Amino acid sequence: AVNTPFSSALPGEFVFKARVYGESTDATPVRVAMLINGKEYRQLDVKASKANPEEIELKVELPAGEYRVAIG
């Protein structure tokens, strides 16, 4: 998993983006989740390769505060 801290003094809608790829030993796509403070907000299959990663996005309304955003 990859994570980073995020803080905002104001509430609002925030957009978190990441470029991802997955390598699987069979034809099954790699499944990833996007989390904020340990709560899962989105789960998706990643079919992109290392040579051509895809961008994933999460839009979420958050109150002001301190957060840890993760992809895992």
Side-chain angles (χ1 to χ4, degrees), residues 6 12-17 31-45 56-72:
F6 170 77
E13 181 179 73
F14 298 91
V15 179
F16 300 98
K17 296 181 181 184
R31 194 141 188 83
V32 299
M34 299 180 82
L35 305 99
I36 300 175
N37 289 352
K39 179 183 175 188
E40 187 176 299
Y41 280 80
R42 185 171 182 203
Q43 196 175 98
L44 57 128
D45 292 337
I56 60 174
E57 180 177 293
L58 173 65
K59 289 183 184 179
V60 62
E61 290 277 340
L62 294 172
E66 305 270 329
Y67 301 95
R68 180 143 308 263
V69 181
I71 298 173

Side-chain angles (χ1 to χ4, degrees), residues 2 5 10 15 17 20 25-26 28-29 37-38 49 52 55 59 70:
V2 176
L10 300 172
V15 179
K17 296 181 181 184
V20 298
T25 57
D26 57 22
T28 307
N37 289 352
S49 67
N52 191 21
E55 185 173 270
K59 289 183 184 179

